Amino acid sequence: MSYRVLRYIAFLGLLAGVHLWLVATGKPAASQPELLYTLRGHESPITNLSFSPAGDLLATGSEDGTAKLWDLRSGRLVRTLRGHAGTVGSVAFARGGRTLATGGADGTVKLWDAASGRLLRTLLDGGYPVAFSPNGRLLAAASGNAVNLWNTRSWHLLTTLRGSDFPPGGPSLGCQLAIGQIAFAPDGKSLATVESVYCGGTPGPPEDFVQLWDATTWRVRRSLIEPPAERKHVAFAPDGRQLAVGGGWIVQGDVLLWNTATGKVRSLGSGQEDQASSIAYDPRGRWVALASADDVTFVSVSSGRQVFLVRAEGLVAGIEGGLVSGIDQEMAVSPDGSLLGAARVDDAVEVWRLPASLQGARVLARAERPAAPLTP
């Protein structure tokens, strides 16, 4: 037997040994969600989470008036960003992850250097939510019931997208419309906005609706009004051909899949009993995730069945009048679909590693982990 053949046989034996060691030590990709970190540091409810494009940082905004950056390789706090006078309602990374935008209740949008924490620029006539276009050339920020669009090279205001009036028969006295969510399609050709109803400063009667804007003409291409429709939440499929719409207007927190080309809508059953407070679409197109008061449910897009569930400790971010009430966008999924970040009722954030495969995944009972250490 030749020396080359012996080396090949030895190599195969080495591979088999490595495989057996990995199986024995549990190192292969887990088939169950795994809690990595519990991030503590905010002093008030968390309003928004955003992963960096590389998935190595997590940004969080809070009612305590700060944004925080967390290192997901260690679970440590990198830095705290201060500058807004009031709630930081939205955080978003630009393409490349070098710039972080924060939208505040003070009507400003601030741009930060993510590496140093240096404030780069403050934009007036903004607010939250905020979102960068996939190519990083546009920044969208809500201002009341309108969306301002800036060129990120010159920072000139390009245009303002004006929201709609109330639907026929909708409320008007003491109520107003405001943009509750902004989402760019992954191909950058469309922008979805959720127009939310507020009466006396709180979510009002169920007349929220979704507008789909053409990113070339900046005209409304389609509108989705599905009454009753309180507190809608949206997320694009990776190819931009579907918009998942979640909310509490359908029995058991169901999800709609809206075909952005034809306008046709189909229901995707989630099995949830509670209203969805946030929604995410798997970057690989396999599932839609919905956060509710007690857990995050992952539903197969192809079958409509629950494929697995992350049972966290109180994901909703507020308690009012003895009843648990959610805040928009308190859950986020990393760009590669491997990590889940979810805000908790105690102002902490849980970071979970998600199963690489849907095969064999099961409901996971929550297991408490020690809080991640903080750095100054």
Side-chain angles (χ1 to χ4, degrees):
M1 187 176 296
S2 69
Y3 177 72
R4 180 176 297 179
V5 172
L6 289 173
R7 287 183 61 189
Y8 181 69
I9 293 174
F11 176 71
L12 291 179
L14 177 62
L15 286 180
V18 170
H19 174 73
L20 291 174
W21 176 80
L22 288 174
V23 171
T25 57
K27 295 298 182 181
S31 62
Q32 311 300 327
E34 177 189 0
L35 179 62
L36 299 178
Y37 307 114
T38 299
L39 310 177
R40 303 180 189 276
H42 281 293
E43 298 176 354
S44 297
I46 294 167
T47 57
N48 196 212
L49 305 92
S50 178
F51 286 90
S52 64
D56 58 340
L57 292 174
L58 178 68
T60 56
S62 170
E63 291 182 8
D64 64 14
T66 71
K68 293 182 182 293
L69 287 171
W70 309 85
D71 184 342
L72 296 180
R73 293 164 296 191
S74 64
R76 293 182 178 271
L77 177 66
V78 177
R79 62 182 46 86
T80 298
L81 306 176
R82 295 180 173 88
H84 284 284
T87 296
V88 177
S90 185
V91 290
F93 282 97
R95 181 183 180 182
R98 296 181 178 179
T99 303
L100 178 74
T102 58
D106 56 5
T108 69
V109 176
K110 294 184 181 295
L111 287 305
W112 309 82
D113 182 286
S116 67
R118 181 169 61 93
L119 179 62
L120 302 174
R121 183 181 299 269
T122 297
L123 303 174
L124 304 178
D125 300 324
Y128 64 89
V130 296
F132 282 99
S133 62
N135 61 12
R137 296 177 183 175
L138 296 175
L139 173 66
S143 178
N145 195 32
V147 175
N148 289 324
L149 290 165
W150 285 273
N151 181 309
T152 58
R153 294 178 178 177
S154 64
W155 293 109
H156 289 155
L157 182 63
L158 295 179
T159 188
T160 297
L161 310 180
R162 303 294 177 184
S164 305
D165 295 325
F166 284 105
S172 58
L173 184 63
C175 299
Q176 61 182 354
L177 283 167
I179 301 298
Q181 190 180 350
I182 299 172
F184 278 97
D187 59 9
K189 295 181 180 179
S190 302
L191 175 72
T193 60
V194 178
E195 301 196 28
S196 301
V197 181
Y198 294 89
C199 299
T202 59
E207 277 87 11
D208 291 12
F209 54 97
V210 181
Q211 303 275 45
L212 189 66
W213 301 78
D214 187 293
T216 301
T217 63
W218 295 117
R219 294 181 177 178
V220 175
R221 182 187 300 159
R222 296 188 184 280
S223 297
L224 176 64
I225 303 175
E226 186 76 15
E230 184 178 2
R231 296 178 64 79
K232 281 193 176 81
H233 308 273
V234 298
F236 275 101
D239 60 7
R241 295 179 182 178
Q242 285 191 132
L243 186 70
V245 185
W249 72 102
I250 299 178
V251 176
Q252 294 186 338
D254 205 349
V255 181
L256 298 181
L257 294 181
W258 187 23
N259 188 306
T260 57
T262 66
K264 293 183 178 180
V265 176
R266 73 177 177 93
S267 175
L268 181 68
S270 70
Q272 278 193 328
E273 297 181 358
D274 299 320
Q275 173 175 311
S277 59
S278 190
I279 186 171
Y281 211 120
D282 175 27
R284 295 168 59 185
R286 301 166 300 168
W287 42 255
V288 171
L290 298 98
S292 67
D294 299 315
D295 50 53
V296 180
T297 303
F298 293 77
V299 183
S300 169
V301 172
S302 59
S303 69
R305 295 180 179 179
Q306 177 182 312
V307 287
F308 61 92
L309 181 147
V310 173
R311 193 175 299 285
E313 182 179 299
L315 294 182
V316 291
I319 300 178
E320 299 176 1
L323 298 177
V324 179
S325 62
I327 292 180
D328 288 356
Q329 303 180 23
E330 76 246 24
M331 173 264 291
V333 173
S334 63
D336 64 357
S338 66
L339 297 176
L340 167 73
R344 293 192 350 184
V345 70
D346 61 357
D347 310 332
V349 176
E350 293 185 355
V351 179
W352 293 76
R353 178 181 289 120
L354 300 177
S357 171
L358 301 185
Q359 300 297 322
R362 295 289 186 272
V363 174
L364 178 68
R366 187 182 183 284
E368 180 63 58
R369 294 284 184 88
L374 303 180
T375 57

